[in-house]
Amino acid sequence: MLKKMALATVATVAMVGAAEARDRILLAGSSTVAPFAQIVVERFNNTTDFEAEYNTTGTGGGFRLFCGGVGDDFTDFSGASRAIKDSEVELCGSNGVTDIHEIQLGFDGIVVANSVDGPAVELTTEQLFAALAAEVEVDGEVVANPYTMWSEIDASLPEEEIEVLGPPPTSGTRDAFVELVMEEGCESFEAIAALEETDEERFEAVCATMREDGRFVEAGEDDNLIVQRLEANPAAFGIFGFSFLDQNLDKIQGSVVDGVEPTFENIASGDYPVSRSLFLYMKPQHIGDVVPAGLQEFVTELTSEATFGDEGYLVDAGLIPMSAEERAAVREAVLAYFQ
Amino acid sequence: MSDIAEPTPMGIAQATAGHRDIHQTPEAIARRQRRYRSEARFKYYGIAGIAAAISMLIVLLVSIASESFSAFTQTFVTIDVNIDQATVDPNESGDPAVIGRASFQTLANNTLYALFPDVSDRRDRRALRALLSPGVEFELRRRVMDDPSLVGQTISITVEMSDDFDQLHKGLIDRTLPEAQRRINDLQLSWYDQLVSEGLIETQFNWRFFSGANSRYPELAGIWAALVGSLLTMAVTLGLAFPIGVAAAVYLEEFAPKNWFTDMIEVNINNLAAVPSIVFGLLGLAVFIQFFGMPNSSPLVGGMVIALMTLPTIIIASRAALKAVPPSIREAALGVGASKIQVVSHHVLPLAMPGILTGTIIGMAQALGETAPLLMVGMVIFITSIPSGFTDPSTVLPVQIFSWAGNPERGFVALTSAAIMVLLTFLIVMNALAIYLRKKFERRW
């Protein structure tokens, strides 16, 4: 019996040594990009003789892997729900990743929605800021947020307690919401806008800090969970990606923001104010060397009209497409590496 | 104690004379009944506790089972597809490379346009294409690649309908809602109804759920890849944790001297058993992947991390099992001249094995459901192939459940619950095996 045990241990340890050469394309990054990148990966794996995989690490985690260096162990593409930061470009550079190519896939709308059993509302970024910021302007003074009811902010809003479920700070959706709604909305208030001149740090803090008195609830990364909680509580609102509204139109309704309804057409045309770009970043240094074959086929698939075009399969999955000219430019730029 | 009568001189005299009497006084009867009542109450508290636990379990199981129900069937539609020579292989080259790149989607689309010739508007045609799952394209490609002679022929295939129509066929979409609140518009409903009336739509058992790999399309997604990943991970865990755990337990129980050092080890093992699993995940990421450069997302690293986590459970269970072997066995063996190692390997270990196995299986069952540390070592990965070895990237059952729960498509709700059912089945089987082994081999002295 002891002999058998020893053998088992040796066998397990021996397997550790057997590392393999890379035969597949590695993608990692944002969980917002994941649903779209994964569809491309699946199509690619099923319709070519090559293979790819997508690892959901979050935008920041994806760049840490991507910028780790050039070689077998490092990813070829990084999915990001925001543009790459300067600090990340520096990190890449210090590890020898000197060439980073940005491929924009399209847009993703962020919606404010509630249950279909609740009232349909029209909001402005200003009202959203007043409802959700830690500090707001009341009578020319910047004070801790006193609002408890929507109707206190504006008489046109429902007489309901403010309760908004949204993503946590680690989420790209949260970053985008703060940038596109909160930082826009706060500039409509004179006393806060005046801070920009006098005390810029304070201005930024006031604009970007969500309230923490329980009226804004961090509901986790899982948007499905928010949808379920909205269904259970018609008085609550939620903040999440457009594709979750699109899939659950029988349960929830999107609020009008700044006079624009969150529909596919309005987000695509850029009329709806709360939308952000989704990217895949490519490492051209891997072409031909680290990944011997398949990269060209992958980017061809990725940037074909059947993928991210007006009627492409990513659009069916909830991605908002760019204009035809933008798509052509993206395609041309990335395929130039393979000529 | 307070129920016993005060020892008055009178009481003692009575007790010696006729001890029944003091138990028959009205006070004594009242005290006794109070005691019985409190005993009954205590029993009811216990029953209430068990009832609460069972009802919660039933609510959980019923809600998961009822949601999972629809994932075990799948709606299929039978269509005749013309494998058009001009689309697939215009130059009649017969070259697999040419055929492999052909647009099989076009073939499926043409079939739909032929079925509903009145649909000509671009938007309506797009809505029409949404009837079929993208799996059609993959299936057509696979068939033609397997048998290139199909090019130019018309074949009848039965393929998955897309998620939305699958939901509709299962009655999960309310047709009475206003059109804007449905993912299926009125026109699509009429197409669907026509297909139903022609008898082309049927419901089949969803074999793909058990045999397929992961997919971003709910109608194509399966758990087999995650299951294989789990089995590979468990194999690594068992291969490492069992021999190391048993060896450690045997040494500590049978050979180690009792001193402050072994006491320290014992305390540390008990502490290790209580460390949150995510910590092991972080350790695995830092040590196995970043320092030793082992493959990310692989069952090898996942299994090693889980092995660290399971090790204390196995050591503690094994030590308890070894301790339960009576010393007389060891003394008898030593008495007939066996060496210490013979005592352990011929007598003590075989007798302790049922207990050790029970502990190991329970530890493995715990490990099977572990998610957090595996997220840290990159096992939340999207792959569409079945892992074929310990270093292939793969995912595991609980992580698959976690990923599916975050997908927007409606069909994944049922898939998530169905995957939970599969995981629960495995856990029940493993725990039942542990009980069976214990009952069959257990010895009492």
Side-chain angles (χ1 to χ4, degrees):
Chain A
M1 178 166 288
L2 287 178
K3 266 183 203 158
K4 275 182 200 158
M5 278 185 198
L7 271 179
T9 317
V10 170
T12 321
V13 173
M15 288 171 332
V16 175
E20 277 178 47
R22 250 270 288 286
D23 58 351
R24 53 181 96 209
I25 299 169
L26 302 183
L27 296 89
S30 159
S31 57
T32 311
V33 177
F36 306 118
Q38 288 174 349
I39 291 185
V40 181
V41 164
E42 180 171 357
R43 291 262 181 175
F44 179 73
N45 292 354
N46 276 306
T47 56
T48 68
D49 301 326
F50 307 105
E51 214 173 337
E53 59 186 48
Y54 190 93
N55 205 338
T56 310
T57 58
T59 300
F63 279 126
R64 268 199 297 284
L65 286 171
F66 184 79
C67 293
V70 175
D72 271 356
D73 294 340
F74 307 103
T75 50
D76 308 312
F77 292 90
S78 202
S81 55
R82 56 164 169 76
I84 190 168
K85 290 179 183 166
D86 290 343
S87 59
E88 287 158 346
V89 175
E90 269 169 44
L91 175 70
C92 270
S94 67
N95 288 320
V97 183
T98 48
D99 195 359
I100 304 166
H101 184 78
E102 180 184 286
I103 304 168
Q104 186 173 354
L105 297 177
F107 304 100
D108 178 35
I110 298 173
V111 299
V112 180
N114 63 342
S115 161
V116 285
D117 300 330
V121 297
E122 300 198 9
L123 295 161
T124 62
T125 46
E126 195 180 326
Q127 288 163 353
L128 278 169
F129 176 80
L132 296 173
E135 290 177 289
V136 294
E137 181 179 322
V138 180
D139 302 328
E141 298 281 326
V142 181
V143 294
N145 197 331
Y147 301 119
T148 57
M149 308 280 281
W150 286 101
S151 51
E152 291 168 13
I153 297 170
D154 193 290
S156 70
L157 296 175
E159 261 194 83
E160 296 275 7
E161 296 254 340
I162 297 172
E163 186 185 348
V164 179
L165 308 164
T170 46
S171 153
T173 311
R174 167 77 167 264
D175 290 345
F177 184 81
V178 167
E179 186 189 327
L180 297 165
V181 174
M182 304 298 283
E183 291 177 0
E184 283 296 312
C186 77
E187 295 195 6
S188 336
F189 295 92
E190 278 174 22
I192 299 176
L195 279 176
E196 192 171 7
E197 306 296 323
T198 53
D199 186 352
E200 205 179 328
E201 258 177 49
R202 172 117 173 87
F203 169 74
E204 277 168 17
V206 170
C207 285
T209 312
M210 308 288 277
R211 66 198 295 184
E212 286 174 350
D213 54 358
R215 308 236 162 241
F216 175 74
V217 185
E218 283 172 7
E221 297 265 9
D222 188 347
D223 290 351
N224 268 331
L225 208 66
I226 301 185
V227 173
Q228 281 176 25
R229 287 171 66 175
L230 293 184
E231 215 188 334
N233 179 5
F237 285 77
I239 297 167
F240 42 82
F242 172 73
S243 40
F244 287 84
L245 174 65
D246 195 35
Q247 291 280 344
N248 294 293
L249 285 171
D250 56 336
K251 294 179 184 166
I252 49 176
Q253 54 186 351
S255 307
V256 171
V257 177
D258 287 346
V260 188
E261 248 185 285
T263 60
F264 178 86
E265 288 75 19
N266 288 340
I267 301 172
S269 66
D271 292 338
Y272 183 74
V274 200
S275 75
R276 42 120 175 229
S277 306
L278 301 182
F279 304 98
L280 271 183
Y281 285 87
M282 183 175 76
K283 199 183 284 173
Q285 285 158 294
H286 279 184
I287 296 170
D289 207 15
V290 177
V291 184
L295 265 185
Q296 178 170 4
E297 285 78 1
F298 186 80
V299 294
T300 308
E301 172 79 28
L302 183 69
T303 58
S304 79
E305 282 298 298
T307 306
F308 73 166
D310 286 332
E311 292 184 6
Y313 54 78
L314 290 188
V315 176
D316 290 337
L319 183 80
I320 315 286
M322 297 176 286
S323 71
E325 298 82 54
E326 287 171 311
R327 293 198 300 269
V330 166
R331 188 179 309 124
E332 201 175 315
V334 70
L335 290 177
Y337 282 101
F338 297 94
Q339 257 127 55
Chain B
M1 286 310 245
S2 62
D3 291 338
I4 293 169
E6 290 287 294
T8 56
M10 185 65 180
I12 290 166
Q14 277 181 347
T16 47
H19 61 87
R20 292 173 60 89
D21 296 348
I22 58 159
H23 297 301
Q24 301 303 335
T25 60
E27 293 85 2
I29 289 169
R31 275 196 302 273
R32 191 165 64 234
Q33 277 170 350
R34 207 163 58 229
R35 224 164 54 196
Y36 286 165
R37 277 200 302 275
S38 92
E39 188 184 318
R41 265 202 309 279
F42 190 72
K43 216 164 70 188
Y44 289 133
Y45 292 151
I47 291 172
I50 289 174
I54 287 181
S55 61
M56 276 185 242
L57 185 71
I58 288 174
V59 167
L60 180 79
L61 283 180
V62 167
S63 79
I64 293 173
S66 61
E67 280 208 328
S68 73
F69 188 65
S70 71
F72 293 112
T73 57
Q74 170 66 42
T75 311
F76 285 82
V77 59
T78 306
I79 49 171
D80 292 323
V81 181
N82 175 23
I83 314 288
D84 181 25
Q85 181 89 44
T87 310
V88 179
D89 187 13
N91 301 325
E92 300 188 23
S93 63
D95 181 5
V98 174
I99 296 174
R101 277 202 298 274
S103 170
F104 289 93
Q105 187 67 60
T106 312
L107 300 179
N109 293 346
N110 288 340
T111 307
L112 284 172
Y113 301 153
L115 269 173
F116 300 97
D118 310 340
V119 183
S120 55
D121 180 57
R122 199 176 59 89
R123 281 182 76 102
D124 290 347
R125 281 197 160 189
R126 183 165 175 224
L128 181 59
R129 293 201 294 274
L131 277 170
L132 294 181
S133 160
V136 179
E137 188 188 343
F138 309 153
E139 175 72 14
L140 282 173
R141 181 177 187 270
R142 197 181 57 76
R143 289 226 192 168
V144 176
M145 295 295 274
D146 284 354
D147 180 9
S149 70
L150 288 177
V151 178
Q153 297 184 29
T154 297
I155 57 169
S156 170
I157 59 168
T158 303
V159 290
E160 288 89 355
M161 294 199 83
S162 70
D163 179 39
D164 289 333
F165 287 90
D166 183 43
Q167 302 281 320
L168 178 69
H169 194 68
K170 288 170 180 166
L172 299 171
I173 288 180
D174 185 359
R175 302 174 68 132
T176 58
L177 282 174
E179 193 174 8
Q181 287 181 23
R182 273 187 262 124
R183 277 187 55 79
I184 293 179
N185 64 31
D186 290 342
L187 207 52
Q188 287 175 313
L189 274 182
S190 71
W191 298 327
Y192 164 79
D193 289 340
Q194 187 184 329
L195 289 175
V196 171
S197 66
E198 288 172 13
L200 296 173
I201 293 181
E202 59 183 317
T203 303
Q204 292 181 5
F205 186 73
N206 189 3
W207 285 112
R208 197 194 270 268
F209 175 70
F210 294 100
S211 65
N214 192 9
S215 168
R216 271 288 292 125
Y217 300 103
E219 67 274 14
L220 303 178
I223 50 158
W224 182 238
L227 206 55
V228 170
S230 269
L231 292 177
L232 289 171
T233 307
M234 289 297 104
V236 174
T237 303
L238 188 65
L240 283 173
F242 184 68
I244 296 177
V246 173
V250 167
Y251 177 76
L252 286 173
E253 208 50 52
E254 301 291 328
F255 297 98
K258 285 270 168 275
N259 57 25
W260 67 269
F261 185 69
T262 48
D263 283 348
M264 260 307 251
I265 290 178
E266 188 168 344
V267 169
N268 274 309
I269 288 171
N270 291 332
N271 274 338
L272 218 52
V275 168
S277 58
I278 188 93
V279 175
F280 291 105
L282 289 166
L283 180 87
L285 178 66
V287 176
F288 299 141
I289 292 177
Q290 285 169 0
F291 188 74
F292 288 113
M294 286 182 192
N296 203 3
S297 317
S298 62
L300 178 64
V301 172
M304 286 168 77
V305 167
I306 300 278
L308 286 179
M309 214 193 77
T310 315
L311 208 47
T313 314
I314 294 182
I315 295 177
I316 292 168
S318 304
R319 290 190 66 179
L322 290 167
K323 228 178 239 160
V325 178
S328 55
I329 301 280
R330 296 181 183 82
E331 282 153 15
L334 287 170
V336 296
S339 71
K340 190 93 199 216
I341 182 112
Q342 283 170 328
V343 171
V344 170
S345 60
H346 294 176
H347 301 282
V348 179
L349 206 48
L351 287 172
M353 212 28 104
I356 294 176
L357 286 181
T358 308
T360 307
I361 292 170
I362 287 171
M364 295 299 287
Q366 234 173 37
L368 180 68
E370 200 51 68
T371 319
L374 297 179
L375 297 180
M376 300 309 299
V377 295
M379 292 193 91
V380 51
I381 193 166
F382 181 83
I383 43 156
T384 56
S385 56
I386 315 286
S388 57
F390 292 104
T391 52
D392 279 359
S394 73
T395 186
V396 293
L397 266 181
V399 177
Q400 185 71 81
I401 292 167
F402 171 78
S403 326
W404 280 351
N407 280 344
E409 286 80 7
R410 206 51 87 70
F412 280 111
V413 176
L415 284 177
T416 307
S417 298
I420 294 173
M421 294 293 284
V422 172
L423 183 63
L424 284 180
T425 309
F426 269 83
L427 292 178
I428 290 170
V429 167
M430 286 174 83
N431 286 330
L433 189 68
I435 292 171
Y436 172 76
L437 283 175
R438 195 166 65 214
K439 286 268 183 272
K440 187 160 164 70
F441 295 107
E442 189 181 44
R443 286 217 202 169
R444 290 194 183 281
W445 282 284

